[in-house]
Amino acid sequence: MSLNSGPIKLGIVGVGKIVRDQHLPALAKDQDYRLAAAASRHGKVDGIPNFPTIEAMLDAVPEIEAVSLCMPPQYRYDAARMALAAKKHVFLEKPPGATVSEVEDLKKLAERQGVSLFASWHSRYAPAVEAARAFLGSTRISSAAIDWKEDVRRWHPNQEWIWAPGGFGVFDPGINALSIATHILPAMFITSAILDFPENRAAPIAAHVAFRTSNGLPVMMELDWRQTGPQSWDIVAETDKGSMVLSGGGSKLAIDGRVVHKEPEAEYPMLYKRFAEIVRAGVSDVDLAPLQHVADAFMLGKRNVVEAFFD
Ligand code: NAP
């Protein structure tokens, strides 16, 4: 869809936790957008027209130029197809889909329709990620490790979709780590994985994954959803210029224990800035590397049954 001058008229779909926590506050301060309507079965956004489905929203508000799709990944593809078919630009929450091939399909459709598709990876926009990438780019890495351990009861209360097939279980936060790792480390692939499935759940609660880079460096990843107390969202690397610790989900960078980068986080404002940029440039931004690693972990991983999990 060709853009008129002025703010991008946006429709938001799947009004739940992330829309309330991040999308609405970011959009409220962003002059590049005008929130034109919302579509959700139950959720509502005050002050704009609300519709029960994306179809009803696009019919009733044809001036919408772009949509943000924020429902769980298992339900995103059909909505994305519908928006792209109507020549709307599409912002996909992470993970961009439940399978790699469905997102490839969306990529091709966006290209045919002449609109932009954005597979957003919010953790890549954490404040110290670019500094970590620059540091690692100037060093020789000997090993790296990812530790992403959090309390699922605290961060995902009553989210049944996350435990269902296509919800990815502990890989829902784990893919955030992978979105950073695939941006700052050399290309890598999985050599072995063990996935811990609670006996009453269809998705893993923990994962132990070994990667190697093409030149043989080991990268170990530990994901765990049972961590109470302090939470760990860390990527460490041993290099010829010292030990790097990127902690707090990409917010703080330390080299040999000395903090070299720490700024307030602004992930969603930056995501929307990037989306406006690609829409105006007439291009897409769809990197599937993090999603491919999750798919590979499920493909190669050994299933280990562990104690039942109850909310
Ligand atoms: P959520 O609140 O559980 O779900 C978002 C909304 O999606 C729900 O309120 C619901 O709205 C709609 N929805 C749920 N099931 C649906 C279905 N079967 N069909 C259509 N719509 C459905 O989840 P969330 O935490 O916002 O996460 C949504 C996405 O954002 C996920 O991909 C997640 O990985 C990503 N994300 C979440 C966080 C976070 O902190 N929670 C952070 C970053 C990214 P209606 O019932 O009104 O339709």
Side-chain angles (χ1 to χ4, degrees):
M1 178 175 214
S2 62
L3 284 177
N4 298 317
S5 56
I8 299 167
K9 293 172 210 67
L10 185 82
I12 201 154
V13 187
V15 178
K17 185 171 189 306
I18 196 60
V19 167
R20 294 198 183 91
D21 288 357
Q22 296 288 350
H23 289 257
L24 296 179
L27 287 165
K29 290 192 195 136
D30 195 330
Q31 309 222 323
D32 258 337
Y33 296 90
R34 182 167 73 72
L35 192 53
S40 212
R41 299 164 312 167
H42 310 96
K44 300 260 179 291
V45 178
D46 291 342
I48 55 170
N50 285 273
F51 300 90
T53 63
I54 181 172
E55 199 170 9
M57 179 181 82
L58 295 180
D59 273 353
V61 194
E63 62 271 27
I64 286 175
E65 295 160 302
V67 296
S68 286
L69 302 183
C70 306
M71 67 286 271
Q74 299 99 319
Y75 314 109
R76 211 173 285 137
Y77 173 79
D78 288 340
R81 262 203 92 83
M82 189 174 295
L84 293 171
K87 292 195 188 291
K88 313 295 179 189
H89 307 285
V90 173
F91 176 129
L92 300 167
E93 246 303 346
K94 56 69 41 174
T99 68
V100 176
S101 46
E102 73 187 42
V103 189
E104 291 284 9
D105 186 57
L106 296 176
K107 226 164 105 176
K108 287 189 199 122
L109 181 58
E111 201 176 322
R112 283 203 300 278
Q113 295 293 92
V115 291
S116 300
L117 181 67
F118 184 33
S120 72
W121 296 113
H122 66 87
S123 292
R124 273 195 188 162
Y125 294 83
V129 168
E130 288 307 321
R133 179 179 156 99
F135 172 75
L136 291 177
S138 71
T139 67
R140 243 200 329 269
I141 305 170
S142 50
S143 67
I146 301 167
D147 251 10
W148 226 254
K149 297 178 179 167
E150 61 176 46
D151 181 355
V152 64
R153 290 189 176 90
R154 179 164 154 203
W155 301 105
H156 300 284
N158 310 314
Q159 289 190 325
E160 282 306 312
W161 62 264
I162 218 163
W163 291 105
F168 299 179
V170 75
F171 283 94
D172 176 80
I175 205 168
N176 297 334
L178 287 168
S179 73
I180 298 177
T182 50
H183 189 61
I184 67 174
L185 293 171
M188 58 190 195
F189 53 90
I190 295 179
T191 54
S192 69
I194 298 172
L195 312 184
D196 293 339
F197 285 73
E199 62 185 18
N200 60 339
R201 300 286 180 166
I205 196 164
H208 322 276
V209 184
F211 295 83
R212 54 163 282 192
T213 64
S214 43
N215 55 354
L217 302 179
V219 180
M220 304 305 292
M221 179 167 86
E222 287 291 323
L223 307 179
D224 205 318
W225 248 351
R226 296 163 297 195
Q227 177 143 309
T228 53
Q231 309 282 282
S232 318
W233 295 294
D234 304 330
I235 298 179
V236 303
E238 297 307 323
T239 80
D240 60 342
K241 292 191 181 159
S243 289
M244 182 206 84
V245 179
L246 179 63
S247 58
S251 63
K252 188 166 101 180
L253 179 67
I255 311 294
D256 284 335
R258 192 170 66 85
V259 175
V260 295
H261 199 100
K262 188 170 190 262
E263 276 174 30
E265 125 4 68
E267 294 175 12
Y268 278 76
M270 289 178 71
L271 282 180
Y272 274 103
K273 183 164 178 274
R274 174 71 183 146
F275 186 46
E277 233 169 60
I278 66 166
V279 164
R280 297 214 156 96
V283 297
S284 285
D285 178 350
V286 183
D287 177 13
L288 290 178
L291 188 64
Q292 183 68 62
H293 284 315
V294 173
D296 289 356
F298 279 92
M299 188 153 46
L300 193 67
K302 179 178 185 301
R303 184 189 170 99
N304 185 37
V305 177
V306 299
E307 192 182 10
F309 174 84
F310 299 98
D311 278 324

